[in-house]
């Protein structure tokens, strides 16, 4: 069967999928109102695989700088280059908007995400002590020059 991968801006109808995926994957997650505002502001891109919601990126940008808040692909759909497609789409969108630097934070023990980000030339800027809580874990701040 042909595999169709689609990236688009999130709509209100994606809200429940976004909330669920966030809660399933992270110890700290955002609430409904936060995501509704982000959807309205076009600060969430989602990816579909054969029309099924399989992941999203939530971000902010102001002037020439962007920050990634969340980036996640459903567990059962990982390692199919879906994250790759979503990240490429996001970077191109940011380029179009004049963004020069993209920042993000990642747990120091999240080696798969660190490898993923390094693939896009994100570089570790510094370690942030106890960036994550419950339990306390250090984070890396990473930066990509667009
Ligand atoms: C990180 C994540 C988004 C990657 O998504 P994905 O769709 O599985 O990634 P892709 O299939 O597009 O992989 C692209 C490249 O990233 C790297 N990569 C992805 N998963 C990896 C893993 N588990 N281990 C090492 N490298 C990995 C590889 O270089 C890979 O290229 P390759 O397949 O040619 O080796 C996904 O694992 C995820 O959602 N993790 C949980 C949420 C999370 O940790 N988000 C980041 C929080 S800051």
């Amino acid at each position: 069967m042909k595999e169709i991968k689609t990236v688009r801006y999130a709509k209100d109808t994606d809200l429940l999928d976004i909330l669920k995926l966030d809660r399933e994957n992270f110890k700290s997650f955002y609430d409904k109102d936060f995501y509704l505002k982000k959807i309205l502001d076009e600060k969430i891109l989602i990816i579909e695989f054969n029309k099924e919601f399989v992941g999203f990126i939530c971000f902010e940008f102001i002037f020439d700088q962007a920050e990634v808040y969340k980036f996640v692909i459903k567990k059962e759909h990982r390692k199919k280059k879906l994250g790759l497609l979503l990240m490429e789409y996001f970077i191109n969108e940011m380029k179009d908007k004049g963004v020069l630097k993209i920042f993000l934070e990642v747990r120091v023990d999240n080696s798969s995400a660190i490898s993923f980000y390094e693939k896009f030339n994100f570089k570790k800027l510094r370690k942030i002590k106890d960036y994550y809580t419950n339990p306390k874990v250090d984070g890396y701040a990473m930066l990509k020059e667009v």
Side-chain angles (χ1 to χ4, degrees), residues 21 25-26 54-56 68-75 77-87 104-107 110-120 132:
L21 196 56
N25 282 277
F26 300 99
V54 291
F56 74 94
V68 177
Y69 289 168
K70 292 275 167 149
F71 193 109
V72 57
I73 299 292
K74 274 188 186 175
K75 208 171 243 164
H77 287 284
R78 288 182 194 158
K79 297 295 281 171
K80 293 181 187 171
K81 310 271 192 225
L82 289 160
L84 196 85
L85 183 65
L86 183 58
M87 182 58 92
L104 59 82
E105 287 81 30
V106 60
R107 289 169 62 115
N110 192 349
S111 55
S112 50
I114 294 167
S115 301
F116 174 78
Y117 293 135
E118 284 178 338
K119 187 138 189 152
F120 294 91
Y132 299 92

Side-chain angles (χ1 to χ4, degrees), residues 10 12 15 18-23 26 28-41 43-44 56-58 69-70 72:
D12 287 1
L15 180 66
I18 291 169
L19 286 168
K20 185 165 181 279
L21 196 56
D22 191 8
R23 277 163 174 68
F26 300 99
S28 71
F29 36 79
Y30 297 114
D31 65 12
K32 182 171 146 268
D33 291 339
F34 173 88
Y35 279 125
L36 275 176
K37 172 92 170 61
K38 285 283 179 199
I39 291 171
L40 197 69
D41 291 347
K43 303 279 175 58
I44 301 181
F56 74 94
I57 177 172
C58 175
Y69 289 168
K70 292 275 167 149
V72 57

